[in-house]
Amino acid sequence: MNKISYPASSCYLNLLIRSLIAISIFIGSIFFALIIFFIADYAYSNLRPIDKTGGTSLMLFKDQGWYELNPNQKLQEQWGKSTFEVITDQLGFRTGPNKPKSGKAEIIFLGDSFTFGMNPWEESFVGLFDNDSKLKIINAGVVSYSPTAYLYTYQKALKTEALKKEHIVVIGLDLSDVQDEAAYYLTGLTHPIKRQFWGKAYQDPNTNFFISMQKFLQNNMRLTYRIFMLVANSPFINPPENVFITTRSAFTWEDWNVLNQKPGEEYTPFGRKHYVGYAPLGVAGGLKKINQNIAELVKLAKKNNSKVYLLIYPWPAQIKFAQKFNWSNYAKNLCLETHCDGVIDATPIFIDYAQKNPNWYFHLYTAGDVHFNRNGNQIISNELKKKLSHE
């Protein structure tokens, strides 16, 4: 009996069709599974809402790019790979989970994200100091604030009468303050505002696609958001060396002429922000504005019979690279010029630790980030206690 033979082209065609069907089923299964996961995540996130009081967002955005912390909040914040609780009091200052100490505050901390604390309260240097001290404190640090905002925040705190008549002001003078003063902050009529970059108006975070998507996922699809943040902060997307070469602290080791050529930030097509330069004022202009704002702040504190200390600490780059501009010397000269009461400089301790420990970065900083972990914050807290315990 003769076998029926088929053309080779027909066999290849059948194989191709079966392969395409198998691939389509595989892709369809993945797509279907993702849809089920997203629906389940959305349902879970909304059936078990994050514990919040008094609002739905940590930041209260106002006009012309200005923002403050929302009062009376208790919610979970995501930073990098970690999630931690943030509580704000009735004045819109970050506070700890324990019952507030009685009376008016004796110390107010002004600063940016380092002072605010990108960790649980008990791991931030303000929280560590607060837990070990009998003094009542106010943590007025807010992410990406700088001396223009510090001055305004101090004026606001004085008006609330939350401070004792004679108190201590600790200014967390951060390296990023130079870029913020050079490229971002202006003094507005009623509050600080964000300047325009090269004719392009400041982009309101509420209209930024990337930030809006993050907020939606954070509030409505929390499992998806955690996966998203893990990927966004992975070594493939955010290489470890980025923490050393970030423009935010580059002015101590990089050529100022290079940094002065570009605006403070640029946006990707999806709206994600990248810090790139110090225009329009340049590094020198940013330093000059810091001097002016700190001088005004010290003058105001002295008028209220109070003391002002500058607190400084290094970013990873200030430990790793040879420094052309000495931040410690700048802070000391700034204090002399403005008649502040002293500089609390943790930099030498960090440098000494790094010289003795090859893995210093992972011991002192949050992996993939410029902010301190509990160990780094403990060093700063210890320095604060040495200086302020005698006040």
Side-chain angles (χ1 to χ4, degrees):
M1 184 175 180
N2 295 330
K3 293 183 179 180
I4 300 176
S5 60
Y6 296 95
S9 59
S10 177
C11 292
Y12 290 137
L13 180 61
N14 289 334
L15 180 61
L16 177 61
I17 292 173
R18 287 198 297 272
S19 298
L20 289 174
I21 292 174
I23 292 172
S24 299
I25 293 173
F26 178 72
I27 294 175
S29 299
I30 293 176
F31 186 71
F32 179 75
L34 286 173
I35 291 176
I36 296 299
F37 173 78
F38 291 147
I39 292 174
D41 188 14
Y42 184 85
Y44 170 81
S45 299
N46 285 275
L47 287 174
R48 295 175 60 88
I50 297 174
D51 179 23
K52 300 176 181 178
T53 60
T56 58
S57 174
L58 178 61
M59 296 298 179
L60 180 63
F61 292 102
K62 299 190 176 183
D63 60 296
Q64 299 183 83
W66 176 242
Y67 56 90
E68 300 173 357
L69 296 186
N70 238 335
N72 300 314
Q73 296 290 309
K74 183 181 180 182
L75 51 110
Q76 298 292 315
E77 281 295 301
Q78 178 96 23
W79 180 254
K81 299 177 182 179
S82 63
T83 302
F84 54 93
E85 183 181 67
V86 174
I87 303 171
T88 59
D89 63 17
Q90 70 275 14
L91 298 176
F93 298 128
R94 187 180 182 186
T95 187
N98 298 328
K99 182 179 178 180
K101 297 167 186 172
S102 60
K104 295 187 177 183
E106 296 157 278
I107 302 177
I108 180 170
F109 289 89
L110 302 169
D112 63 358
S113 55
F114 282 82
T115 301
F116 170 81
M118 308 311 290
N119 332 71
W121 175 262
E122 61 275 10
E123 295 181 12
S124 66
F125 68 75
V126 175
L128 287 163
F129 176 84
D130 181 45
N131 290 340
D132 290 339
S133 174
K134 295 180 180 180
L135 302 175
K136 183 173 182 178
I137 65 101
I138 287 176
N139 182 356
V142 180
V143 175
S144 291
Y145 270 18
S146 67
T148 298
Y150 304 162
L151 176 58
Y152 170 83
T153 304
Y154 182 51
Q155 293 168 332
K156 176 183 172 183
L158 288 173
K159 291 177 183 178
T160 65
E161 298 186 349
L163 290 163
K164 282 190 172 182
K165 288 186 177 180
E166 295 182 6
H167 53 267
I168 296 172
V169 182
V170 178
I171 303 173
L173 192 64
D174 192 70
L175 288 143
S176 64
D177 288 348
V178 180
Q179 187 185 43
D180 286 334
E181 291 297 322
Y184 298 118
Y185 279 109
L186 292 170
T187 301
L189 294 177
T190 57
H191 54 66
I193 62 176
K194 295 280 183 120
R195 72 168 64 247
Q196 293 182 338
F197 303 107
W198 296 45
K200 183 177 180 180
Y202 169 77
Q203 190 167 4
D204 187 335
N206 291 307
T207 62
N208 182 298
F209 171 81
F210 188 81
I211 294 177
S212 298
M213 181 59 68
Q214 276 189 306
K215 286 184 177 179
F216 175 80
L217 293 177
Q218 187 175 12
N219 293 326
N220 298 286
M221 302 177 72
R222 297 205 296 275
L223 295 176
T224 303
Y225 179 72
R226 289 190 178 188
I227 295 171
F228 169 79
M229 292 304 295
L230 285 172
V231 173
N233 290 282
S234 68
F236 302 101
I237 304 297
N238 185 28
E241 59 268 20
N242 282 357
V243 300
F244 297 103
I245 61 174
T246 173
T247 306
R248 297 284 272 162
S249 67
F251 71 93
T252 66
W253 55 271
E254 179 63 280
D255 185 348
W256 288 9
N257 291 323
V258 174
L259 297 173
N260 293 344
Q261 296 303 311
K262 293 185 178 181
E265 63 192 30
E266 292 177 347
Y267 286 87
T268 67
F270 291 100
R272 189 165 192 179
K273 182 168 66 175
H274 291 278
Y275 296 103
V276 291
Y278 288 67
L281 299 186
V283 176
L287 291 168
K288 182 178 179 180
K289 277 188 64 186
I290 288 177
N291 288 26
Q292 293 169 344
N293 281 297
I294 297 300
E296 285 296 314
L297 201 156
V298 172
K299 188 186 301 182
L300 182 59
K302 297 298 182 183
K303 186 178 179 181
N304 286 273
N305 299 312
S306 300
K307 295 183 177 182
V308 178
Y309 291 95
L310 303 181
L311 168 67
I312 62 171
Y313 42 79
W315 282 33
Q318 281 60 54
I319 298 176
K320 185 178 179 66
F321 301 133
Q323 303 298 294
K324 298 178 182 178
F325 181 86
N326 191 301
W327 185 241
S328 293
N329 288 342
Y330 166 74
K332 292 173 185 175
N333 291 330
L334 174 60
C335 188
L336 289 172
E337 179 185 320
T338 59
H339 306 290
C340 88
D341 294 277
V343 177
I344 304 171
D345 187 0
T347 306
I349 298 175
F350 281 92
I351 292 176
D352 181 65
Y353 185 95
Q355 291 173 344
K356 298 174 182 177
N357 297 273
N359 292 322
W360 58 268
Y361 170 73
F362 296 101
H363 291 176
L364 302 173
Y365 294 84
T366 299
D369 192 20
V370 298
H371 294 90
F372 300 111
N373 58 23
R374 184 190 179 101
N375 296 332
N377 281 321
Q378 186 66 67
I379 291 175
I380 298 174
S381 176
N382 291 342
E383 292 306 295
L384 288 167
K385 283 185 285 187
K386 289 178 187 177
K387 177 65 74 171
L388 303 180
S389 60
H390 302 295
E391 296 293 342

